[in-house]
Amino acid sequence: MYMNENSLKKTLSKLNIGGLRYFNSIGSTNDEALAWAAEGAPDLSIVLADEQTQGRGRLDRKWFTPKDSGLAFSLILRPTAALRPHLSRTVGLAALSMAESCSMLGLAPRIKWPNDILVNGKKTAGILIETVWSGNDIDSLVIGMGINVYKSSVPPVEVLQFPATSLEDEIGKEPPAREEILFGILNAFIDWRKRMASDELIKAWEEMLAFRGEQVQIHAGDESPITGELMGLESDGSLRLRGSHDNSVIVRFGDVSLRPGA
Ligand code: BT5
């Protein structure tokens, strides 16, 4: 059974969103949102699909979204002049909003920097942010979020580099309706966005980080991994590690994992 579009609209009408495009099935909600943003979609417009046939992760990876299993949506942001200097914090804003909505379900989520939400050490949600440019300026951002709600959303182990789970698995019973979970995420997002320029956002994001105080490695491209103790965040959302000579190492992108044998 697909999501109930009417109850979705009704739930979202309580929030100040820009517009909604709902699909039973789509290639990728991010692709639709990128096209809509380029046509001038209003701020906080949402593209949501029950099923994605070409769901995308970062770096051409795939995001598995079978029908009737999870939440897959893309939020279009039109940054104001005041928020423009802080756009590198957007992934934290999205991660914190998803993590808070997991906390409200009684779970203890952690953010695996930069874009994964872990529950009990397993991936429950991921974020993919893409940009619409206007010359050298950012016209808008598309924030794609995928959350595994029911057990059926978890991909087969063979395709995973990192263990995955769903809210249903972790709560141990039927999770709330997907519309309600979406409402919680958007509500938190709208609220945190008001504080996007404040240190409060960085502090809350930092407190949710997975592997703090542990030895980690960061893989970015083909280069050999960067290693160090995971300390926290810089004010732009970069990750700060302590290297083996007590030096600070700042990381802007990559995939974090625990350092084997450390
Ligand atoms: C992400 O990439 O985690 C970003 C996922 C963003 C998905 C949303 S859904 C709405 C919007 N529309 C899109 O097309 N995308 C966004 P990354 O960190 O690169 O992780 C991708 C990796 O996670 C894959 O290579 C798989 O190993 C694994 N994976 C795929 N589907 C998964 C799932 N449902 N649950 C857990 N892990 C998954």
Side-chain angles (χ1 to χ4, degrees):
M1 220 206 26
Y2 291 122
M3 213 171 312
N4 182 331
E5 190 175 352
N6 284 334
S7 82
L8 182 66
K9 282 191 177 142
K10 201 163 150 216
T11 308
L12 296 188
S13 69
K14 296 178 213 146
L15 294 169
N16 225 347
I17 65 160
L20 173 70
R21 287 187 182 175
Y22 172 79
F23 298 84
N24 284 337
S25 181
I26 198 170
S28 155
T29 57
N30 260 38
D31 290 342
E32 176 72 21
L34 285 167
W36 191 10
E39 288 160 15
D43 182 48
L44 287 181
S45 291
I46 297 166
V47 178
L48 185 135
D50 185 60
E51 173 191 48
Q52 292 187 117
T53 55
Q54 305 284 335
R56 296 191 279 114
R58 293 171 304 154
L59 308 168
D60 283 334
R61 295 173 191 149
K62 293 197 183 337
W63 184 259
F64 185 72
T65 323
K67 82 181 185 57
D68 205 24
S69 69
L71 272 170
F73 63 97
S74 303
L75 197 54
I76 298 168
L77 284 202
R78 298 213 161 265
T80 56
L83 288 188
R84 280 184 184 275
H86 307 290
L87 291 183
S88 61
R89 296 177 170 190
T90 309
V91 68
L93 176 67
L96 202 50
S97 309
M98 289 210 278
E100 281 193 349
S101 72
C102 293
S103 301
M104 280 175 3
L105 301 175
L107 301 171
R110 285 282 167 263
I111 298 170
K112 183 161 90 71
W113 185 93
N115 72 318
D116 292 351
I117 309 299
L118 308 183
V119 177
N120 293 325
K122 290 176 265 178
K123 183 160 172 171
T124 316
I127 302 162
L128 172 68
I129 300 188
E130 295 179 296
T131 307
V132 177
W133 294 95
S134 165
N136 289 328
D137 293 328
I138 291 180
D139 170 80
S140 46
L141 293 179
V142 165
I143 308 172
M145 300 190 230
I147 302 121
N148 299 336
V149 178
Y150 296 108
K151 292 179 184 197
S152 53
S153 55
V154 180
V157 272
E158 311 85 81
V159 305
L160 295 173
Q161 286 93 27
F162 195 87
T165 189
S166 68
L167 296 178
E168 185 181 19
D169 279 302
E170 300 306 319
I171 301 172
K173 58 175 189 195
E174 178 85 2
R178 287 179 285 169
E179 293 90 322
E180 293 304 321
I181 298 170
L182 176 69
F183 181 87
I185 296 168
L186 295 175
N187 208 14
F189 188 96
I190 290 168
D191 203 43
W192 273 112
R193 189 163 73 151
K194 295 179 196 143
R195 286 170 283 164
M196 194 163 174
S198 102
D199 287 345
E200 240 187 295
L201 177 93
I202 295 288
K203 202 161 166 280
W205 179 7
E206 197 168 56
E207 277 166 10
M208 283 272 185
L209 284 180
F211 313 139
R212 257 181 114 188
E214 298 194 64
Q215 288 291 327
V216 295
Q217 55 186 17
I218 322 276
H219 285 272
D222 296 332
E223 285 157 41
S224 51
I226 300 167
T227 57
E229 180 183 343
L230 196 153
M231 303 303 288
L233 296 168
E234 295 288 284
S235 88
D236 68 351
S238 300
L239 195 64
R240 190 173 66 254
L241 307 184
R242 180 159 63 197
S244 52
H245 305 292
D246 249 4
N247 52 318
S248 259
V249 182
I250 309 301
V251 183
R252 293 203 164 69
F253 51 82
D255 281 304
V256 179
S257 54
L258 277 176
R259 201 169 145 196

